[in-house]
Amino acid sequence: MKLKTILVALAATACFTNAYAQAPIVIKFSHVVATDTPKGQAAARFKQLAERATNGRVKVEVYPNSQLYKDKEELEALQLGAVQMLAPSLAKFGPLGVKEFEVFDLPYAFPTKQSLYNVTEGPIGRSLLKKLETKGITGLAYWDNGFKIMSANKPLYAPADFRGLKMRIQSSKVLDAQMRALGANPQVLAFSEAYQALQTGVVDGTENPPSNMYTQKMHEVQKYATLSNHGYLGYAVIVNKKFWDGLPADIRTALEGAMRETTTYEKAIAQRDNDMALEAMKKSGRTQFITLTAQQQDAWKKVLLPVHKQMESRIGADLVNAIAKEGAK
């Protein structure tokens, strides 16, 4: 009787173990933007490709629009293992202690997309991702959202037009210095709070790529926007290092392939979506868009380029100079 009981127990344990082994590995992918932005669409594409590449052994759950965590909370959640994957804007790593990432916030640092890709896809980009490992984070890829425009409820033609304006920014010392150089008062706010702050007058304006401005309906509460293309907004796709290192090797390889394919897709749609968003906002008639003359653009650069020198002690002079060298190619 005892032997029969033991055999039944062993069989039950085997069934439980087998069922457990077959349960999919869940990756919670949290982000703060809308599903129809370049990042939102790329997250959905990664889910599709990852699940297909692993034959369902991995299940990716995507949580957009700050459903789980806001800007300030998401990195801590990743480090604690509450979520496994994020794609935060590059500015988010400065407050985490990896200040070198703030080099991407420098105004007019990247004159072309190619100069940007020379950095993100080259040794500089790889070395920056490597620095995240001491924070329990593995960097997988850089995603793109293009160049930013300035918006406010007054026309912004010259640096003097910013004087006294309360401008919403991400938490970044570089962006803080940028707004102060223009004479504005920078206000750090979570992305999810930006629309309401603009609507109620808590802040007067902000900066965003057109796709973010449009999908968050900011054009409905901003009378003017200047096509300044003064700064860049990109993301790093990151995972919890302990989780990533603990994956079976074949699963990790399959996910890396899915991420490479997704990144190619994301870069292809980023510019298209920003162009479409800009056209949609123009057609709405809610916001008047200002195109700067070459002379006006030079006036902006004259005020903002000194921020590079100012930030050398924070970011590192060698890195700032290396980025400048890539931009000059």
Side-chain angles (χ1 to χ4, degrees), residues 37-242:
T37 57
K39 178 163 61 172
Q41 293 175 74
R45 176 62 65 96
F46 176 73
K47 169 183 169 65
Q48 177 190 28
L49 293 174
E51 292 176 355
R52 184 194 303 162
T54 60
N55 294 315
R57 288 170 65 195
V58 168
K59 181 184 178 187
V60 180
E61 298 176 354
V62 180
Y63 298 91
N65 257 332
S66 304
Q67 283 179 9
L68 290 184
Y69 301 103
K70 294 182 180 180
D71 287 321
K72 290 180 181 178
E73 304 163 345
E74 61 176 10
L75 278 168
E76 185 181 359
L78 182 89
Q79 289 174 303
L80 292 172
V83 294
Q84 289 71 46
M85 184 173 285
L86 304 172
S89 61
L90 299 169
K92 302 276 177 34
F93 299 118
L96 189 68
V98 191
K99 300 170 185 175
E100 292 89 342
F101 275 91
E102 289 184 355
V103 75
F104 290 103
D105 292 335
L106 290 172
Y108 297 110
F110 304 100
T112 64
K113 276 288 179 70
Q114 190 53 54
S115 64
L116 167 72
Y117 295 153
N118 289 344
V119 172
T120 56
E121 296 173 9
I124 295 175
R126 287 192 293 272
S127 68
L128 288 174
L129 290 179
K130 195 80 176 164
K131 289 179 182 293
L132 296 173
E133 293 184 2
T134 60
K135 306 295 180 183
I137 294 168
T138 295
L140 299 180
Y142 290 94
W143 285 358
D144 187 20
N145 198 8
F147 296 107
K148 295 180 286 188
I149 62 179
M150 291 282 195
S151 66
N153 283 324
K154 63 174 285 191
L156 303 171
Y157 289 99
D161 297 327
F162 285 85
R163 198 164 295 138
L165 293 183
K166 292 174 289 184
M167 299 292 288
R168 180 265 168 184
I169 60 166
Q170 299 185 74
S171 181
S172 163
K173 295 297 183 185
V174 175
L175 297 180
D176 183 278
Q178 168 192 276
M179 290 303 184
R180 292 185 190 281
L182 289 165
N185 297 318
Q187 309 285 316
V188 176
L189 283 174
F191 184 69
S192 59
E193 298 168 7
Y195 174 86
Q196 188 175 8
L198 291 166
Q199 184 184 41
T200 57
V202 171
V203 294
D204 301 305
T206 187
E207 57 170 11
N208 269 300
S211 63
N212 279 5
M213 185 177 177
Y214 179 62
T215 55
Q216 295 294 318
K217 303 184 187 302
M218 294 181 193
H219 64 292
E220 295 180 0
V221 290
Q222 294 278 264
K223 293 178 182 176
Y224 298 92
T226 301
L227 305 177
S228 50
N229 295 325
H230 62 282
Y232 171 71
L233 181 65
Y235 313 105
V237 187
I238 58 175
V239 287
N240 177 286
K241 187 177 187 301
K242 186 177 179 182

Side-chain angles (χ1 to χ4, degrees), residues 24-44:
I25 298 165
V26 175
I27 296 177
K28 289 184 178 180
F29 188 163
S30 173
H31 65 81
V32 302
V33 298
T35 54
D36 50 352
T37 57
K39 178 163 61 172
Q41 293 175 74

